Amino acid sequence: MSSRTVELLRKHGISPSSQRVHIYHYLTASKEHPTVDDIYAELQKDGHLFSRATVYNTVNLFLEKGIIHTVQAEPHEMRFDASPGFHAHFKCESCGLILDIPMQEPRPDDIGNLKISRTNVVFSGLCGECQKTEHKE
Ligand SMILES: [Zn+2]
Ligand SMILES: [Zn+2]
């Protein structure tokens, strides 16, 4: 169990139960922006028998405390991201892969009296693997 994760959870007012530590740890290690179902299935493969409801509630708690955020790449699919700081995303239109793209947060020239709370940048196209298969056909 990672003590850095325990500390981070405590700092954000989250009591670090072993489920929470495992789920947060999985989220930070994964570069795939998993859904609740992905997290549930992957942890189960590793022998952690948390219920789907536990995963769901834990992820919602992390969101509420601001230690993870959602990635809006598809309107009906909620994916989670524990990568800190602003970055853009790339979504493959063929296989659905979502990658982090380093990028400065864009600043609009003039927003009048609007107040921006979140910026979401998603590029879409074909990933390297899917470009290869496209060329074969
Ligand atoms: Zn792809
Ligand atoms: Zn990301």
Side-chain angles (χ1 to χ4, degrees), residues 48-120:
H48 301 297
L49 303 175
F50 312 144
S51 70
R52 205 184 165 285
T54 299
V55 175
Y56 182 83
N57 292 334
T58 304
V59 161
N60 272 312
L61 177 69
F62 291 169
L63 276 179
E64 213 176 275
K65 300 287 184 182
I67 60 170
I68 64 170
H69 47 265
T70 54
V71 180
Q72 286 146 347
E74 282 300 322
H76 302 295
E77 194 179 58
M78 183 95 112
R79 290 178 167 273
F80 303 96
D81 194 343
S83 305
F86 181 83
H87 56 275
H89 289 106
F90 173 88
K91 168 152 180 147
C92 177
E93 287 164 338
S94 178
C95 69
L97 175 81
I98 296 177
L99 291 173
D100 285 341
I101 310 250
M103 188 180 162
Q104 290 275 3
E105 185 165 354
R107 298 248 165 242
D109 294 337
D110 183 8
I111 57 165
N113 63 356
L114 304 174
K115 187 166 176 274
I116 295 174
S117 55
R118 229 197 118 187
T119 310
N120 200 24

